[in-house]
Amino acid sequence: MEAYPLSRALFTALKFGFTAATLSASVALAQEAAAPPPPPTVTVAKPVVRDVVDSDEFIGRFEAVDQVAVRSRIDGYLDTVHFTDGALVKKGDPLFTIDQRPYVTALAQAKSALEVAKTTLTYAEAQYKRTESLTGSGTLSVSTLDDQRRAYLAGQASVAGAQAAVDGAELNLNYTQITAPQDGRIDRRLISVGNLVNANDTILTTIVSLDPIDFYFDVDERNLLNYARTARERGSNLQEGGGGLDVTVKLTDSNEPPVKGKLDFAENRLDDATGTMRVRARFANPNFILQPGLFGRVEVAASNTYKGILVPDEAVGSDQNERVVFVVAEDGTVTSKPVRPGPKLYGYRVIREGLTGDEIIVVNGLMRVRPGGKVKPELVQLPPEAKTAEASQ
């Protein structure tokens, strides 16, 4: 291969009368042009090997653990509102007052009826005792004694009924004061003062609890079986306490840090229409940042801890229908190794199969390498966790 450039240089020198020095320079240039190019420089590194836990991501929504639609137990006109719209309330705080005047009157009537019944009972008791003594001496008949006993027992029943009426009237009067049934954040008032409130029908407002708070999301069959297996390996059950699997929820606002919690419930069957099962996680919410109705992306721990081999996404190439990484030997020779990628964790791609973690792989410059060729490697050390574009924002 070198004869042709040398002959061409000699021919040129002879044709144009070049000197010996010029001829030597031409020959040197021809030899330099025929030399092979130097191997390309690429960045190489060892994969990151660390304890990892696989995770899956779903979209879900926060819901209050407890939520109440506040209704009145009696009919009446709304008289007073005692809260500020959107305020935090404690259990027992006054919320509304229904017009009490009709119920005050009803209580007074019931108490009057009770006094009448007590007076009647006192008279019936005296008559019964008098008749009983006279019957014993033979002055009155036994039938008369029976009549007085009946009147006395009826008087006792009348007192009991009147007392029940008083208790009911007092209860209705107490119901005119509507208080918070639980701690939480109250909604706006849904009815204004002066409007008629229908018992057990008119919704006056709603209250939702905030701490703790639940997060619901739907899981497909494949992932559900995986979570159930992971829960069994931990000695628990997915339906009983959610298997204790760890979850992390990211909010739509990237400025808010992710929140961590655990699965604590799964429904007892899959939905026939969607083939999914609804799962619940519970989170502490002491600062009330999480609100019922917020959407979020939940990451669920999909495995127990294992040693994972992690490489940058840029280190994984394609060879037809296979995924490969390029391994560099000590002499700089490049070979390709088929791999089976897994999920992305800590900013890297998990390699399920194909690597042991001891290889030196190309992490930058894949376009300049080919299997069987040689490269000039520049070794770098990968950090335990890569800084992703999402994390840098």
Side-chain angles (χ1 to χ4, degrees), residues 54-95:
D54 291 346
S55 63
D56 298 315
E57 188 173 274
F58 303 93
I59 301 296
R61 175 177 255 175
F62 286 99
E63 296 290 347
V65 175
D66 298 306
Q67 48 189 342
V68 176
V70 180
R71 292 178 169 89
S72 173
R73 299 188 181 187
I74 58 172
D75 295 324
Y77 287 90
L78 186 61
D79 186 63
T80 312
V81 178
H82 300 284
F83 66 90
T84 302
D85 291 351
L88 289 171
V89 297
K90 295 289 187 181
K91 183 177 181 179
D93 287 350
L95 302 180

Side-chain angles (χ1 to χ4, degrees), residues 60-66 209-217 249 262 264-265 279-285 290-294:
R61 175 177 255 175
F62 286 99
E63 296 290 347
V65 175
D66 298 306
S209 63
L210 295 176
D211 185 26
I213 192 168
D214 289 335
F215 186 85
Y216 288 89
F217 58 99
V249 170
K262 289 183 178 293
D264 75 331
F265 169 76
V279 181
R280 184 182 72 196
R282 182 158 291 182
F283 298 85
N285 189 29
L290 307 176
Q291 299 290 321
L294 284 178

Side-chain angles (χ1 to χ4, degrees), residues 77-81 96 189-197 204:
Y77 287 90
L78 186 61
D79 186 63
T80 312
V81 178
F96 301 95
R189 56 182 179 177
L190 302 179
I191 185 171
S192 300
V193 172
N195 280 289
L196 177 64
V197 176
L204 303 176

Side-chain angles (χ1 to χ4, degrees), residues 54-201:
D54 291 346
S55 63
D56 298 315
E57 188 173 274
F58 303 93
I59 301 296
R61 175 177 255 175
F62 286 99
E63 296 290 347
V65 175
D66 298 306
Q67 48 189 342
V68 176
V70 180
R71 292 178 169 89
S72 173
R73 299 188 181 187
I74 58 172
D75 295 324
Y77 287 90
L78 186 61
D79 186 63
T80 312
V81 178
H82 300 284
F83 66 90
T84 302
D85 291 351
L88 289 171
V89 297
K90 295 289 187 181
K91 183 177 181 179
D93 287 350
L95 302 180
F96 301 95
T97 299
I98 305 296
D99 186 7
Q100 296 180 330
R101 292 171 296 179
Y103 298 98
V104 171
T105 302
L107 177 58
Q109 290 175 342
K111 287 182 176 179
S112 297
L114 176 60
E115 292 301 319
V116 171
K118 287 181 177 179
T119 302
T120 303
L121 175 61
T122 301
Y123 174 76
E125 183 180 11
Q127 287 293 95
Y128 171 66
K129 289 181 178 180
R130 187 179 302 114
T131 304
E132 186 177 31
S133 62
L134 293 175
T135 303
S137 63
T139 306
L140 294 176
S141 63
V142 175
S143 61
T144 303
L145 178 61
D146 291 340
D147 289 340
Q148 293 302 324
R149 183 186 294 111
R150 177 180 56 78
Y152 174 55
L153 295 176
Q156 289 180 325
S158 296
V159 170
Q163 183 62 57
V166 170
D167 294 342
E170 288 179 343
L171 187 61
N172 287 335
L173 182 59
N174 290 335
Y175 284 156
T176 61
Q177 293 283 356
I178 302 173
T179 59
Q182 66 175 38
D183 296 349
R185 189 175 298 280
I186 198 167
D187 195 8
R188 64 182 177 88
R189 56 182 179 177
L190 302 179
I191 185 171
S192 300
V193 172
N195 280 289
L196 177 64
V197 176
N198 296 317
N200 304 316
D201 183 29

Side-chain angles (χ1 to χ4, degrees), residues 15 36 57 91 105 108 126 130 170 177 187 191 207 224 236 258-259 261 271 284 287 308 324 343 349 362 367 369:
K15 180 179 179 180
E57 188 173 274
K91 183 177 181 179
T105 302
R130 187 179 302 114
E170 288 179 343
Q177 293 283 356
D187 195 8
I191 185 171
I207 302 175
L224 179 66
S236 59
V259 293
D271 185 270
N287 298 322
V324 297
R349 182 66 58 184
V362 179
M367 299 299 294
V369 303

Side-chain angles (χ1 to χ4, degrees), residues 326-339:
F326 294 97
V327 178
V328 181
E330 291 184 359
D331 62 353
T333 304
V334 177
T335 57
S336 65
K337 297 194 70 173
V339 295

